Amino acid sequence: MSAYKKLISGGLDFESDYAVIITSPHNLRYFTGFTGGEALAVISDKRKILITDFRYIEQAENESPDFEIFDLSGDKRYEFLKNECADCSKLLFEDRYMNVSEYNIIGEKTGFERLIGASEKIDKLRMIKEEWEIERISKAEEIGSLAFSHILKFIKEGVTENDIALELEYFMRKNGAEGLSFDTISISGEKTSLPHGQPSSKKIKCGEFITMDFGCIYKGYCSDMTRTVVLGRASEKQKEIYEIVRLAQETGLKALKSGIKCCDSDKAAREVIEKAGYGKNFGHSLGHGVGLLIHELPNVSPRCDIVLEENMVVSCEPGIYIPNFGGVRIEDLVCIKKDGVLNLTSAEKKLIEL
Ligand SMILES: [Mn+2]
């Protein structure tokens, strides 16, 4: 793997006397191969350096064969950085990740005037996925779809929201997931009006919406999906809301393709909900990029003018949320292709009445 080359030859306006400092676990993994999390990489035209400590040296040597590995912690790490970067005119760093105290230490050692925040440009290099990355995301999403089929048999009157969350998580771990991409959302009844409500010991009752938003990690890559079901028979109002969201989601999927701006995809789906009279009940974006992080670029939002390109992976997740009634969200994960999308989510989308 040689993703570090993207930093030098990619979209960073990189010049030969610059260096890039990478400190976030996801970008360390992406650009160096190192999965240990705690390290600092310095990448320039001349050298590729990975500084970590005793705990990770053997791992770093195995995972980052293109890099010179150094065992340095604390002050020694920053002294090394100072010497190493003495001839660099600019040091690009991850301003959306580095904390203020580390910024101050590095700034004092190397000179604040040379530090240039470059998170957005660095993160954009991860937007278009390689085939092997899409395979991992797809596998993670497949585990999620299997978990959804499983949970349909588990949900009964009297089980709690916590029970459902735990069962989803246990199933995903049992089926190859190495972790969760975020805290599982499984909420029911009126609480489904909270887009990011938290599961509790509340028991599921007949006639309630149940919204489950969950995902897992497979070989470092995240999945994300949401389904809303009803226990027992759905009311006319529940059917109405569900159908509008389902149609908006279908419309959103059709509006995702290479060459389209993210804001235009968002608009297509949003219009369906607005025309049905629920515009104010859909207050979040249509979707977001997914990869090593659960939320990454591009944002499929009304404010994002990034043009979609082939092999970006994004979610499509419209919703309607009505206080004191409930809400519906339906979310698939898709890979952008030339004339449309490859849908990575196989779980059923028609209204399921359990
Ligand atoms: Mn999502």
Side-chain angles (χ1 to χ4, degrees):
M1 204 186 311
S2 52
Y4 68 86
K5 286 180 184 155
K6 292 184 187 180
L7 289 166
I8 297 169
S9 64
L12 281 192
D13 308 323
F14 190 88
E15 298 200 12
S16 56
D17 64 342
Y18 289 10
V20 189
I21 299 171
I22 298 291
T23 49
S24 69
H26 48 282
N27 280 330
L28 283 167
R29 180 168 188 146
Y30 188 77
F31 292 109
T32 79
F34 177 65
T35 64
E38 216 283 302
L40 186 154
V42 189
I43 296 153
S44 67
D45 252 3
K46 277 177 275 170
R47 290 176 87 182
K48 297 170 289 294
I49 290 165
L50 186 65
I51 309 168
T52 183
D53 63 64
F54 176 79
R55 294 171 297 169
Y56 298 112
I57 293 299
E58 186 182 352
Q59 182 179 351
E61 283 168 354
N62 289 332
E63 292 180 335
S64 308
D66 293 332
F67 282 70
E68 297 173 65
I69 313 292
F70 291 89
D71 174 3
L72 297 165
S73 44
D75 253 6
K76 285 184 189 156
R77 184 175 288 195
Y78 302 111
E79 271 306 314
F80 179 93
L81 191 65
K82 179 184 174 182
N83 295 331
E84 179 56 34
C85 298
D87 297 332
C88 297
S89 69
K90 282 182 183 168
L91 303 174
L92 309 181
F93 76 104
E94 294 182 83
D95 52 317
R96 290 186 184 170
Y97 179 81
M98 190 179 287
N99 66 38
V100 177
S101 66
E102 188 168 30
Y103 173 77
N104 283 336
I105 295 167
I106 293 179
E108 277 161 23
K109 292 283 182 194
T110 63
F112 287 100
E113 68 289 350
R114 287 199 286 162
L115 289 177
I116 308 289
S119 268
E120 188 168 353
K121 284 178 179 173
I122 294 169
D123 291 342
K124 276 185 172 171
L125 298 173
R126 301 202 321 274
M127 283 198 303
I128 296 173
K129 270 63 182 177
E130 309 279 343
E131 278 308 319
W132 61 268
E133 295 183 282
I134 295 165
E135 279 167 26
R136 290 180 183 191
I137 298 168
S138 182
K139 173 70 180 171
E141 190 71 354
E142 193 184 310
I143 294 170
S145 293
L146 286 173
F148 179 68
S149 301
H150 170 75
I151 209 69
L152 295 178
K153 292 173 267 168
F154 177 86
I155 297 173
K156 292 178 182 60
E157 196 155 32
V159 303
T160 68
E161 296 171 348
N162 283 335
D163 292 334
I164 294 172
L166 189 61
E167 187 66 20
L168 282 168
E169 293 168 5
Y170 184 77
F171 183 93
M172 291 191 290
R173 289 297 300 264
K174 270 284 197 187
N175 284 277
E178 62 204 33
L180 303 173
S181 17
F182 55 92
D183 288 342
T184 302
I185 296 171
S186 74
I187 46 177
S188 61
E190 289 182 8
K191 269 174 78 182
T192 52
S193 68
L194 305 171
H196 277 188
Q198 288 167 320
S200 70
S201 55
K202 179 193 168 297
K203 289 179 174 158
I204 310 295
K205 290 194 300 240
C206 230
E208 286 185 330
F209 271 141
I210 304 154
T211 296
M212 293 162 282
D213 184 351
F214 57 98
C216 67
I217 300 173
Y218 179 76
K219 293 188 179 174
Y221 284 78
C222 294
S223 71
D224 194 2
M225 63 181 290
T226 308
R227 289 293 184 267
T228 304
V229 301
V230 175
L231 182 64
R233 281 296 165 97
S235 70
E236 287 311 307
K237 174 100 170 172
Q238 284 174 323
K239 285 182 188 166
E240 180 208 330
I241 302 295
Y242 191 93
E243 186 52 23
I244 298 164
V245 175
R246 198 199 56 74
L247 189 62
Q249 209 259 352
E250 191 178 285
T251 307
L253 290 176
K254 284 185 189 146
L256 289 165
K257 63 182 95 170
S258 68
I260 305 276
K261 278 186 190 169
C262 284
C263 54
D264 292 333
S265 305
D266 177 285
K267 190 173 171 212
R270 196 169 300 278
E271 272 175 1
V272 173
I273 292 176
E274 283 169 353
K275 280 183 186 148
Y278 291 100
K280 67 178 191 321
N281 303 94
F282 175 28
H284 59 73
S285 307
L286 179 64
H288 53 88
V290 173
L292 286 168
L293 292 183
I294 184 59
H295 291 127
E296 56 180 55
L297 295 170
N299 300 315
V300 189
S301 83
R303 298 163 302 283
C304 178
D305 59 7
I306 293 175
V307 176
L308 290 166
E309 287 182 63
E310 220 170 325
N311 293 344
M312 288 180 176
V313 173
V314 299
S315 68
C316 177
E317 51 178 309
I320 292 178
Y321 311 94
I322 305 170
N324 304 313
F325 171 76
V328 172
R329 178 168 64 257
I330 304 171
E331 172 181 31
D332 286 344
L333 200 55
V334 302
C335 180
I336 303 295
K337 293 292 172 194
K338 197 154 163 270
D339 299 309
V341 295
L342 172 66
N343 197 327
L344 306 179
T345 317
S346 61
E348 181 62 61
K349 262 185 296 195
K350 68 173 197 297
L351 178 59
I352 294 173
E353 297 171 294
L354 291 166

